[in-house]
Amino acid sequence: MKNDVKIKILKYFLSLFNGIFLIIGAIIFGCGIWILWDENSFIGTLLPTDHEDILSVSAYCFLAIGITVTIVCFVGCIGSIKEVKHLLFLYCLFLSLIFILQLSIGLAVLSQYSNIETLLGKKTIEAINHYVNDSFSKELKWNFLDLIQKEFQCCGYYNSSDWERNDLIGSTSLPCSCSNSTVDTSTSLCTITENTYIYPQGCSTHMKQWLSGNVATVLVAAAALLLIEVLQFIMAVNLFKSIKIKENY
């Protein structure tokens, strides 16, 4: 293959992958904005106040990655179109740094997954213990518990007996969201009778499935992005070499 033809092909495919990379970067940037401004998110509600900074740090990391990806794509496009070797070298350097950063974050998420899952269960139980028995600032957590129980048709974290830990909830009353019976929704607690159907299953399985599904989606997206970065790096290196050969003739 002639060197000029090879350069054209590499420039075309590098531009194509830069476009894909830019779209993914925009999605990552959007995720950062969503985490930062969505105060009613499920995880954000259940996390304790001293852990709220985790979400903010994660959001700013997503924003930084999104902006960095945009800059890298710009450098790569200019370097390939104008055939500037220094920009291509800088482009490869940025790709390597992003690759290492993403790989580190992915491994960190995997290593901390069990801790995140444990924390989620712990904070759910804590919210159950303080249901309608705490300050007004906690009401958002109560609403989320009701939403989860209604949506997944479950009761408690492990089962309905979890509610017995709450001082204000006895054997004759439970949150109305624990039952599919027609109830007065103006109150948080409903009286339990022999004819009341209580969801037998706890919410832990559904919550863990939700968490694992979201983590899996993030990791698959990250793996796809890493693969694209490897292909970009290979093409950029080959383009750099081809341009160098062209300049020597």
Side-chain angles (χ1 to χ4, degrees):
M1 183 185 295
K2 292 183 179 179
N3 192 59
D4 289 341
V5 176
K6 183 179 179 180
I7 288 176
K8 289 180 180 179
I9 294 175
L10 287 171
K11 287 168 69 173
Y12 171 78
F13 280 103
L14 192 58
S15 298
L16 177 63
F17 278 97
N18 267 325
I20 297 173
F21 197 49
L22 185 61
I23 292 173
I24 295 175
I27 293 174
I28 293 174
F29 186 84
C31 288
I33 294 177
W34 174 66
I35 293 173
L36 197 60
W37 275 278
D38 185 13
E39 297 179 351
N40 296 328
S41 64
F42 176 53
I43 289 292
T45 301
L46 289 180
L47 278 177
T49 305
D50 57 348
H51 281 73
E52 287 179 354
D53 287 342
I54 295 176
L55 286 180
S56 298
V57 171
S58 300
Y60 285 119
C61 284
F62 280 132
L63 293 176
I65 291 175
I67 294 172
T68 303
V69 166
T70 303
I71 296 173
V72 170
C73 288
F74 179 76
V75 171
C77 286
I78 297 299
S80 61
I81 294 172
K82 298 296 183 180
E83 299 183 6
V84 181
K85 291 189 299 181
H86 292 91
L87 288 180
L88 287 174
F89 176 81
L90 189 61
Y91 176 69
C92 289
L93 180 61
F94 279 146
L95 282 177
S96 300
L97 292 175
I98 294 176
F99 182 91
I100 294 172
L101 177 62
Q102 288 179 211
L103 188 60
S104 301
I105 293 174
L107 293 175
V109 170
L110 285 175
S111 65
Q112 293 297 314
Y113 178 78
S114 60
N115 292 334
I116 295 173
E117 191 176 67
T118 301
L119 179 64
L120 181 62
K122 179 182 177 182
K123 293 306 167 183
T124 303
I125 292 294
E126 184 178 295
I128 288 174
N129 294 342
H130 294 281
Y131 187 84
V132 299
N133 191 23
D134 215 324
S135 62
F136 180 77
S137 62
K138 303 292 184 181
E139 187 174 341
L140 187 59
K141 293 185 179 182
W142 308 340
N143 292 337
F144 263 90
L145 282 174
D146 287 329
L147 179 62
I148 292 166
Q149 293 187 144
K150 288 179 181 178
E151 180 68 23
F152 296 120
Q153 296 186 346
C154 54
C155 184
Y157 186 67
Y158 297 107
N159 51 56
S160 59
S161 63
D162 291 333
W163 289 102
E164 296 176 5
R165 306 181 188 187
N166 190 303
D167 295 336
L168 296 183
I169 299 179
S171 57
T172 59
S173 65
L174 277 176
C176 299
S177 55
C178 272
S179 170
N180 67 348
S181 304
T182 302
V183 294
D184 180 11
T185 55
S186 63
T187 58
S188 298
L189 301 178
C190 293
T191 301
I192 305 302
T193 65
E194 292 182 359
N195 298 324
T196 305
Y197 177 79
I198 303 300
Y199 299 127
Q201 185 181 18
C203 300
S204 61
T205 301
H206 299 289
M207 294 174 70
K208 289 177 181 178
Q209 287 175 348
W210 173 88
L211 180 63
S212 62
N214 280 272
V215 170
T217 301
V218 171
L219 291 178
V220 168
L225 190 57
L226 289 174
L227 179 60
I228 292 174
E229 289 166 7
V230 171
L231 294 174
Q232 286 175 290
F233 184 87
I234 293 173
M235 287 185 288
V237 170
N238 279 278
L239 182 58
F240 181 91
K241 292 178 179 179
S242 297
I243 293 172
K244 190 173 182 180
I245 293 173
K246 180 181 178 181
E247 291 177 348
N248 291 333
Y249 280 102

